[in-house]
Amino acid sequence: PASAVPTPAPGGANQQPGVSGTFSDVLFNGRLRLRAMSLKDAVPADNEHPNKPGERAVVFHAIVSNGMHHEVHGFFNATLADANGITVEGRPLDDGWSLEQGAAARTATGFSIPADFVPTKLVLLEAAVPSAKAFRITIRSKDLSVASNPATPQ
């Protein structure tokens, strides 16, 4: 007999309705489009540094565009998760966006993660629109680029 598929525990990254994909996809949640996504070790120009020794600073970059028929403003609340469900919150590295219909802007979010933390998922929520669908981005091992001159703690 076939065994039943386990039911995921309620809450966590799968509680908020959303769209899923990878860094190579163009994702649309009904309001915003995300493309040209990357996750890399921070470099000095990112102005993101590890919070303490033994941590590593990484930065998520993307282009966000307005898919609505009116202007949108905002920024993302961002969370990295590893395979065990351990999470690290990010912080916006820009002033957010103010986009007319069809307009686009660059966005960046920084994270200070333990050196041995291996992110497998990035979850983005529109800070000002909690009812908007989340972006759930699967992180493959090839997606996290290592900088030759990474940022150091300050």
Side-chain angles (χ1 to χ4, degrees):
S3 60
V5 174
T7 303
N14 294 315
Q15 184 172 7
Q16 177 87 11
V19 296
S20 298
T22 66
F23 284 125
S24 60
D25 294 328
V26 174
L27 300 176
F28 180 61
N29 72 349
R31 294 179 43 83
L32 300 172
R33 273 187 189 77
L34 272 182
R35 60 187 167 88
M37 296 175 276
S38 67
L39 184 66
K40 299 179 180 181
D41 278 333
V43 295
D46 289 320
N47 200 26
E48 174 70 5
H49 303 277
N51 290 338
K52 58 188 175 189
E55 292 197 349
R56 171 182 177 194
V58 296
V59 177
F60 169 73
H61 291 275
I63 295 175
V64 59
S65 58
N66 180 359
M68 301 293 291
H69 294 287
H70 55 79
E71 186 177 8
V72 295
H73 308 271
F75 64 91
F76 289 119
N77 288 330
T79 304
L80 285 174
D82 71 6
N84 295 316
I86 305 298
T87 61
V88 176
E89 299 296 320
R91 68 178 186 93
L93 297 179
D94 53 48
D95 294 329
W97 58 80
S98 180
L99 301 171
E100 295 294 331
Q101 179 181 352
R106 295 184 188 283
T107 187
T109 303
F111 300 87
S112 183
I113 61 175
D116 61 349
F117 184 86
V118 179
T120 58
K121 183 81 65 181
L122 172 65
V123 178
L124 303 171
L125 297 169
E126 259 185 277
V129 188
S131 61
K133 290 181 181 176
F135 290 100
R136 279 191 209 84
I137 304 156
T138 299
I139 302 169
R140 301 167 298 192
S141 59
K142 69 177 186 168
D143 292 329
L144 183 54
S145 302
V146 177
S148 58
N149 184 20
T152 56
Q154 293 205 343

